[in-house]
Structure formats: structure tokens, C-alpha cells
Amino acid sequence: MRSIWVTFNREGIHKFPGAASSEFATEDWDDVSFLQYPHRHIFHFKVWIEVFHDDRDVEFIQFKRWLERLYANTESGPEVLELDYKSCEMIADDLATEIQVKYPGRWLKISVAEDNENGCEIDYPAIPRELTRRK
């Protein structure tokens, strides 16, 4: 399969309310209860999209600019993303849904990382065009 990829990053704030549970608030070396409070990251995105020929089927720069605009909340530029309780996986799933509407019938892979240190990478199989239309 043939694909292209682009990268971009955004500052964001999220929290993990479940971090207060005993599973995560261990009061030991692996305690991550602090994650229950809003905290900041630079979220790093890498997005692969299937292309069907070798002559700019999806042009890199246009694709990247479109993705960046999805997260630009103002005309003056991007704001800090308020992600509430969303994990990297949830952020990737939301982004995949947007891409599948604009570019139906293509395989995707999305990586979302916190501070380019820890994150997720998810493959999304191509969804037939008729299943991606917005209502």
C-alpha cells in the first residue's frame, strides 16, 4: 500500500479523572493520581493516509494545513486545546472521523503523543464512501 504522512503539534490541556482510583493512586512509585488534575502537554500528531497514485493524490502541504485548521479555534491562530478527559487514543479516534469524512475510502494511521514521549498509534481501515457521509 502507498501512503503519505504529515506531522504537526498543538499545545493542549487534559485530565484523567480515573487517576484518583486505587488502581492508579497507589501511593507508591507508580502512583499517577496527579493526572486527575488538568495538566499541559504538547500533543504531537503524525497522520498517514493512503494514496492511490504517485502524483500528489493528497498533497502534503494542503493536507497538513487542513489538519492544523481543525484545531485552530480562532482566526488569529491556534489556541490551547481543551481536551477535558480525552486520552491520546480518543483524540486519534476523533481525528480519524474527521479525515474519513473528507477523504473517504482510504486507510489511515494516526499517532498522538504527549510531549513526543508517550502516546498511541492506531490503524484505521478504509471505510466505504457511503458510510462516511455526514447527516
Side-chain angles (χ1 to χ4, degrees):
M1 179 189 36
R2 183 180 303 250
S3 65
I4 61 150
W5 56 264
V6 299
T7 64
F8 64 99
N9 59 61
R10 284 288 180 267
E11 180 180 7
I13 296 175
H14 73 165
K15 62 186 174 194
F16 174 35
S21 74
S22 61
E23 180 182 358
F24 301 103
T26 64
E27 297 184 17
D28 204 351
W29 63 269
D30 59 347
D31 186 308
V32 292
S33 59
F34 58 89
L35 296 175
Q36 68 186 299
Y37 304 107
H39 55 278
R40 174 199 180 270
H41 294 288
I42 299 296
F43 288 90
H44 293 258
F45 295 81
K46 186 168 184 178
V47 179
W48 291 258
I49 187 168
E50 181 178 14
V51 294
F52 301 120
H53 59 75
D54 64 0
D55 193 14
R56 297 167 186 86
D57 182 23
V58 177
E59 202 287 319
F60 300 138
I61 297 169
Q62 289 177 332
F63 185 53
K64 178 177 178 161
R65 288 177 180 171
W66 176 74
L67 291 168
E68 289 176 324
R69 288 177 61 93
L70 292 175
Y71 296 101
N73 298 329
T74 66
E75 289 184 22
S76 62
E79 291 183 352
V80 175
L81 301 178
E82 296 291 339
L83 299 164
D84 195 20
Y85 61 88
K86 295 210 175 186
S87 66
C88 290
E89 296 91 324
M90 293 173 189
I91 296 165
D93 288 346
D94 289 348
L95 181 55
T97 299
E98 291 294 322
I99 296 169
Q100 289 166 331
V101 169
K102 183 169 176 69
Y103 296 95
R106 296 174 190 259
W107 165 90
L108 305 170
K109 180 164 63 170
I110 299 175
S111 168
V112 179
E114 296 174 346
D115 307 314
N116 221 12
E117 194 174 62
N118 308 297
C120 73
E121 191 171 282
I122 304 173
D123 283 285
Y124 299 90
I127 295 176
R129 184 178 306 270
E130 60 274 7
L131 299 178
T132 60
R133 291 195 182 112
R134 288 231 164 113
K135 295 177 179 160

